[in-house]
Amino acid sequence: MKLRSILIVAGIVFASNSLYAQYTSDVLRFSQPEQGSTSRFKGLGNAQTSLGGDISSLSSNPAGLGFFTKSEFNFTPEFNNFKVGSSYLNNGIDDKKSRVGLNQIGAVFYSPVNKVKGSNLNDGWVSVNFGIGYNKTNNFNTNITYGGANPTSSMADYFADLATTYGMGDPANNSSALAPGSLESMAYKNFLIEYDPSGYFPTTNVNNNQTNIINRSGSQSEVNLGMAGNYGNKLYLGISIGLANVNYTSDRVYTESGTNRSFTGQDPVFTGGTYSFAYNSLQQTKGNGINAKLGLIYKPVNELRLGLSFITPTWYSMTDRFSENLSTKFKRANGTTIPEYTNNLETYDSEYSLRTPYRVNGGASYIIGNSGLISADVEYVDYSSIHFSSNFANEETNTNRDIASLYKGNFNYRVGAEFKVVDNFMVRGGFNYSGSPYRNIDLNTKAYSGGLGYRFDNYYLDVTYRHTTFDSTSSPYTISSDYPDFNFTGEGPTANLKNSADNVFLTFGVRF
């Protein structure tokens, strides 16, 4: 993210298309949390809106807390293995990353309503239960690697595009032509771009070798506090407050090598030689937010449960720290090395506010006696309602414009089933489909899950395996359509990524 707030405050007025694009990408990333759940509900594909009786209800439909008839404590460790297969410039590379951690922990406290001895326990309020729980709602741990030979553009074209857009004339005659510390200024000092009367241009040739390595880490999580009431063992009403947290890091290394371009006025030391450069960036985003969840579950008959929940937007306050630098090596035509050109690490800090989309969930569950159950959910999310707020008007206007034009509302579907094999031993399976948030790209997510559960006395143990797949794209740089050579370079290369995650969740619980 090209964060230029400090430079703007200093009176250098410009904005970056790449900044808006990065903000637009980040706000979507932080607006796609998973409903927190135990291994049992993960095994059911997270189809939990109408089911209840699990601490997972805190983060989906708090009315489900009303089904508890005992207090309960549980926790869920997890193992995650993330794989990314890339296709970039007709070249394929695979990468992976594994992590273990805590996915969920929490407790529910059963509180029956005192009634006169001999009265009907199914009349009026039966219980008011309380719960508190921690859930991991998003896991950012991923390694992405892609590379290949580019016949149409160099990242130096991107540097020249930035310099053309934000520069003010010839740097040889105007010391303020390029903003100090900016990426285009680094590229000019490293002799990767030059200036002539027609503007800035790259000194690098095409058919260069490019590699982009991205290491992402961190997570989103929530602490939920909620309560629910059971009215007549028919109607269950609940509310919870979620305290959300974001901790995201993206460490990127882009390298490129090739031959020097020949041009009029070129310094003879570079003529016929080769180049290689490395662009390094580190983004660290942290934030805290708050949301609320309201829900109800109704049992028209004992076998059928109907659920409805509304999850408000999460209002986040975010801080961003972005660092970048550029280093370049040249070799003469005879193969001798020219001293390396380096730049100081530039760091930019910024703050912004984010409002994520609201979510509406509806679900139905059918209880098959003592043999099992079937549960299904549908969820609506409007990603075009994401709102970004900044102290800088250009950032806010352009980012919200891009959000409205790129994203849309969509439906997510979840279904799961559980069956008792023998006394106290259950098998589960589920499927979770998340529709594409993009208006013009069909990038959906599919998750398949299966698990086992065992109950003994007041203890229980659940284990679930889940396999998730989705496609995405990544671009190491983006060239604007105003760039003079855009007809040849295009907007830059894009990697097509096939992502998969294999997760194992283990929940241990006790009732008391």
Side-chain angles (χ1 to χ4, degrees), residues 231-271:
Y231 189 84
N233 289 317
K234 283 281 190 180
L235 177 65
Y236 304 81
L237 303 174
I239 182 172
S240 65
I241 300 296
L243 304 177
N245 175 266
V246 172
N247 186 1
Y248 172 74
T249 299
S250 180
D251 189 356
R252 174 190 175 196
V253 179
Y254 171 92
T255 58
E256 182 178 308
S257 61
T259 59
N260 297 336
R261 176 182 178 182
S262 297
F263 56 91
T264 303
Q266 184 178 29
D267 189 327
V269 74
F270 300 116
T271 303

Side-chain angles (χ1 to χ4, degrees), residues 5 26 92 110 137 143 150 152 162 164 200 242 288 300 322 328 334 388 409 424 429 451 482:
S5 303
D26 279 347
Y110 172 62
T137 57
N143 284 346
N150 193 329
T152 58
L162 291 176
T164 300
Y200 290 91
N288 294 294
F322 182 81
T328 309
N334 62 10
F388 171 91
N424 302 324
D482 295 328

Side-chain angles (χ1 to χ4, degrees), residues 20-32 354 357 380-387 399-410 436-441 443:
Y20 305 140
Q22 184 63 64
Y23 276 136
T24 306
S25 174
D26 279 347
V27 298
L28 177 63
R29 189 191 324 278
F30 304 141
S31 296
Q32 294 181 294
L354 168 64
Y380 178 75
V381 188
D382 184 7
Y383 291 104
S384 67
S385 68
I386 297 171
H387 186 75
T399 301
N400 287 319
R401 177 202 61 204
D402 289 346
I403 290 169
S405 63
L406 292 173
Y407 304 143
K408 64 178 178 66
N410 74 292
S436 176
Y438 300 96
R439 289 188 181 276
N440 301 314
I441 310 175
L443 296 178

Side-chain angles (χ1 to χ4, degrees), residues 17-18 21 155 157-159 161-162 252 475-481 486 490-494:
N17 289 333
S18 62
M155 195 180 202
D157 285 293
Y158 168 66
F159 301 150
D161 186 24
L162 291 176
R252 174 190 175 196
S475 298
Y477 55 86
T478 303
I479 300 169
S480 75
S481 58
F486 181 81
E491 62 182 13
T494 296

Side-chain angles (χ1 to χ4, degrees), residues 418-422 424-428 451-455:
E418 175 183 273
F419 295 98
K420 184 180 293 186
V421 180
V422 294
N424 302 324
F425 186 80
M426 288 145 284
V427 296
R428 307 181 183 104
L452 304 172
Y454 183 64
R455 304 294 185 260

Side-chain angles (χ1 to χ4, degrees), residues 4 24 31 45 71 91 108 116 119 138 187 200 279 292 321 329-331 348 361 399 401 421 433 437 454 494:
R4 305 188 173 197
T24 306
S31 296
S71 298
N91 189 46
V108 174
V116 176
S119 62
N138 211 336
Y200 290 91
Y279 169 70
R321 168 158 285 196
K329 297 179 180 178
F330 290 96
K331 287 186 178 180
Y348 314 96
N361 290 272
T399 301
R401 177 202 61 204
V421 180
Y433 174 90
Y454 183 64
T494 296

